[in-house]
Amino acid sequence: MKKRSGLVNVFETFGRSFLLPVSVLPAAGILKGIGSAFTNASTIEMHPWMANQTLQIIMGFITMIGSVAFDNLPVIFAVGVVVGLAKQEKGSAALSGLLGFLVLHNTLHYLLSVSGQLVDKSAKNADQLMSLHMQTSVLGIQTMDLNVFGGIITGIVVYLVHKKAIKMQVPQVFGFFSGPRLVPILTIPAMALVALGFFFIWPYVQVGITALSFAILKSGYFGTFAYGVIERLLLPFGLHHGLNWPVRTTELGGIFTIDGHQYAGTINAYMAALQSKLPIDPMITRFSSGKFVYNMFGLPGAALAMYMTAKPEKKKMVGSLLLAAALTSFLTGITEPLEFTFLFVAPALYGVHALLVGTTMVVTNMVGAAFLTPTGHGLINFLIYGVLQGAKTHWWWLFILGVPCFIMYFLVFSFVIKKFNFKTPGREDDDETVALHGKDEVRAKLGVKTQKDRDQKNNMPPIHEHALALIAAHGGEGNISAVDACITRLRINVKDEDLVEKDRIVNQLNAMGFTKSGMQMQSIYGGYANQLKIEIQSILGLGE
């Protein structure tokens, strides 16, 4: 298989970096979903007993806790993206991400103020003026409305600074400021320059993003179908996160007006819609509702088709495997055991699945289904975000469409499997083991290398040989129990000090001095010590 382009690698890395910041959203969403279900005005009108003051206080508190994450997504992404991208010294990366975010918005506040563009927040129509001039308040700072994009770009910029600065050698006199301490120092001017660029460029970028957002919304059912197909086709390559999370958290997912306020991204819009008395716009949920249908009904239908087409003597064995995988998909929305299995045995079958996904999502959107979840499209989240939110989500469409979807998947998969004699579980040759297949196995078979694979293979910095020599001079990997560093000293704890080659460390490995404290060997390397620590930890697989 041809080597993947740099653009694809960047896209995958970018998508993977979203995993850490968005990991908080399911728990926060569950809290907010449960709280919203009991505090929604429309639901209270239907069930007056919910108006109990004590219940409302408790549920309001739960809603507030869940809202913390959604109300602060930009700063969560600023910290989360850089931590997700950084491979070493993640503590320094996190601190620098937060600092960079504060520098960005404080600089923008200053530029808006000195240029006379800062909206007067005391005006009667301040909210409308702020929206008109693309301004907002972030952590109490009045600034340009960058939404989650500000956090994402901050995370990427700080990661690039972190990647270079953490291994940058500085003059010995400034050794204290080397390594992880240098990252936040360089982050300040870097993010100030980024803010300056934002000040002049962002208004034009915002116009383009808004236009693209409207284009996506106006793409209608074709856009929904295309999204469903493309998102599934990106999954085997690990690229689907780069498509999903910009749609869920930024203007690319749409800009929706709810009760006079604008919300960017499908998650923010849906959470706001749950609090409103107005019906939920199905365009908010068009990239989510259909996932519940094919996860909970479609894929189990495919599992039944594979079971029914299995060889009689293998049905008992394959039945238990497929039943477990189907239940996992139905309850939690985790589809990997099924999807990667038929991708492994027959990629064409996965292509059929992608087309069925697009079709399911279009039909679900057409009927007006309006349920959404930050992640995990299974029964558990459906109950929280769909059923508990009341009639406004039109949750019953899941079951009305689910049965036909189950039948569609069963009939199509049965036909295709038999027609092309695909070796799905239970149809293998007699000498082959019945098994489901995971993503690592599939990618190995197809020759697909992810960016993570490339990182693990190619992460060979210039100091690598030096670090290997130091490991050997300390008695080898088995003799080392811990690795650390202070400002100037590399500190390596050993089990047997007699195995440590002290003269070699000083005379051949360029240490400026050597001492010990108990079983801790201390080699003086100045500001270079921290870089050696990082490399040795990486080689030995030791935590910081």
Side-chain angles (χ1 to χ4, degrees):
M1 180 170 286
K2 293 182 179 180
K3 187 177 180 179
R4 300 191 310 165
S5 70
L7 180 61
V8 172
N9 291 329
V10 169
F11 187 69
E12 180 193 345
T13 302
F14 174 70
R16 280 197 297 115
S17 71
F18 280 3
L19 295 180
L20 179 61
V22 303
S23 64
V24 72
L25 296 185
I30 288 173
L31 290 173
K32 188 165 184 177
I34 293 174
S36 298
F38 287 89
T39 58
N40 184 277
S42 300
T43 306
I44 293 174
E45 288 181 5
M46 291 187 295
H47 307 285
W49 62 269
M50 289 186 181
N52 178 273
Q53 185 177 7
T54 302
L55 178 63
Q56 287 300 302
I57 291 174
I58 294 173
M59 290 302 167
F61 178 74
I62 293 175
T63 303
M64 178 275 296
I65 294 176
S67 297
V68 171
F70 292 98
D71 293 343
N72 294 283
L73 279 178
V75 68
I76 290 174
F77 270 82
V79 176
V81 167
V82 67
V83 172
L85 289 172
K87 298 175 179 61
Q88 299 163 326
E89 294 292 348
K90 291 182 180 288
S92 172
L95 174 62
S96 301
L98 177 59
L99 178 63
F101 187 79
L102 294 173
V103 170
L104 171 68
H105 286 292
N106 276 285
T107 303
L108 288 174
H109 173 83
Y110 176 79
L111 294 173
L112 289 170
S113 179
V114 297
S115 64
Q117 298 180 48
L118 203 63
V119 172
D120 183 4
K121 294 181 68 174
S122 64
K124 291 183 179 180
N125 58 343
D127 289 343
Q128 294 180 356
L129 289 174
M130 293 267 284
S131 178
L132 180 64
H133 290 84
M134 292 185 293
Q135 295 180 23
T136 188
S137 289
V138 177
L139 300 180
I141 307 166
Q142 187 174 341
T143 178
M144 296 179 71
D145 189 1
L146 307 180
N147 207 280
V148 176
F149 280 114
I152 294 172
I153 294 173
T154 296
I156 293 173
V157 171
V158 174
Y159 161 68
L160 295 175
V161 173
H162 178 273
K163 184 178 181 181
K164 295 294 183 182
I166 199 170
K167 296 182 179 179
M168 187 180 297
Q169 295 190 39
V170 299
Q172 190 62 38
V173 68
F174 299 115
F176 175 81
F177 300 105
S178 64
R181 302 176 188 86
L182 186 61
V183 181
I185 295 173
L186 296 184
T187 292
I188 294 174
M191 289 309 302
L193 290 174
V194 170
L196 186 63
F198 265 125
F199 181 72
F200 292 104
I201 298 173
W202 187 254
Y204 303 101
V205 174
Q206 184 66 56
V207 171
I209 292 174
T210 302
L212 181 58
S213 170
F214 283 126
I216 292 174
L217 289 175
K218 290 180 180 179
S219 65
Y221 300 134
F222 173 77
T224 305
F225 176 82
Y227 178 91
V229 173
I230 294 172
E231 195 261 351
R232 287 296 92 183
L233 293 179
L234 290 177
L235 174 66
F237 303 94
L239 301 177
H240 56 302
H241 300 300
L243 175 67
N244 284 334
W245 290 108
V247 167
R248 295 175 185 176
T249 59
T250 74
E251 289 93 335
L252 292 177
I255 300 174
F256 304 91
T257 301
I258 300 168
D259 293 339
H261 298 281
Q262 287 190 335
Y263 297 89
T266 58
I267 293 178
N268 290 327
Y270 186 70
M271 292 302 173
L274 292 180
Q275 300 291 330
S276 174
K277 290 185 177 181
L278 299 175
I280 298 175
D281 183 356
M283 295 304 289
I284 296 175
T285 64
R286 65 175 175 150
F287 299 136
S288 179
S289 296
K291 288 189 175 183
F292 283 105
V293 180
Y294 71 75
N295 280 359
M296 294 174 63
F297 292 93
L299 286 173
L304 180 62
M306 288 190 282
Y307 171 76
M308 295 300 293
T309 56
K311 296 178 180 179
E313 65 273 17
K314 293 186 175 183
K315 279 190 174 182
K316 183 177 180 179
M317 181 179 298
V318 78
S320 59
L321 292 173
L322 291 173
L323 178 61
L327 286 175
T328 299
S329 181
F330 181 83
L331 293 173
T332 68
I334 297 174
T335 61
E336 178 180 311
L338 288 174
E339 288 184 304
F340 279 94
T341 290
F342 49 75
L343 175 63
F344 182 86
V345 299
L349 200 57
Y350 188 84
V352 171
H353 165 56
L355 294 175
L356 295 180
V357 164
T359 303
T360 301
M361 293 187 71
V362 168
V363 174
T364 308
N365 183 216
M366 290 176 65
V367 300
F371 32 86
L372 176 149
T373 176
T375 185
H377 296 78
L379 178 64
I380 297 172
N381 278 344
F382 172 72
L383 293 175
I384 294 171
Y385 295 101
V387 177
L388 288 180
Q389 305 306 324
K392 65 191 308 179
T393 65
H394 296 172
W395 55 264
W396 51 84
W397 278 113
L398 174 73
F399 302 100
I400 296 175
L401 297 178
V403 174
C405 182
F406 180 93
I407 296 172
M408 174 179 70
Y409 264 81
F410 173 74
L411 294 177
V412 171
F413 267 67
S414 296
F415 173 78
V416 174
I417 290 171
K418 293 177 181 178
K419 176 70 175 178
F420 299 99
N421 194 28
F422 288 138
K423 302 298 184 181
T424 50
R427 293 173 61 85
E428 306 92 347
D429 295 333
D430 293 338
D431 59 341
E432 294 182 8
T433 303
V434 176
L436 301 185
H437 304 279
K439 60 185 177 183
D440 292 336
E441 189 178 3
V442 171
R443 287 168 177 166
K445 178 183 177 181
L446 299 180
V448 173
K449 295 291 185 181
T450 66
Q451 183 63 27
K452 182 178 180 181
D453 298 328
R454 292 166 60 84
D455 290 343
Q456 292 175 343
K457 181 178 179 180
N458 299 325
N459 188 22
M460 298 283 286
I463 63 172
H464 187 74
E465 295 300 326
H466 194 173
L468 287 174
L470 280 167
I471 292 172
H474 283 81
E477 179 178 345
N479 195 44
I480 297 174
S481 58
V483 180
D484 202 352
C486 61
I487 298 172
T488 61
R489 299 188 180 201
L490 174 66
R491 301 171 182 265
I492 298 181
N493 289 24
V494 298
K495 301 173 184 177
D496 184 354
E497 64 175 306
D498 293 335
L499 298 178
V500 179
E501 302 176 61
K502 304 169 187 177
D503 293 338
R504 180 186 176 195
I505 293 171
V506 175
N507 298 327
Q508 298 180 24
L509 300 180
N510 304 321
M512 292 177 283
F514 181 91
T515 185
K516 67 175 185 174
S517 177
M519 300 299 285
Q520 184 181 84
M521 307 295 114
Q522 301 178 3
S523 304
I524 302 174
Y525 280 100
Y528 190 50
N530 192 76
Q531 299 170 47
L532 286 169
K533 178 203 79 170
I534 293 171
E535 188 62 24
I536 294 172
Q537 284 181 336
S538 177
I539 293 172
L540 300 181
L542 298 175
E544 297 175 12

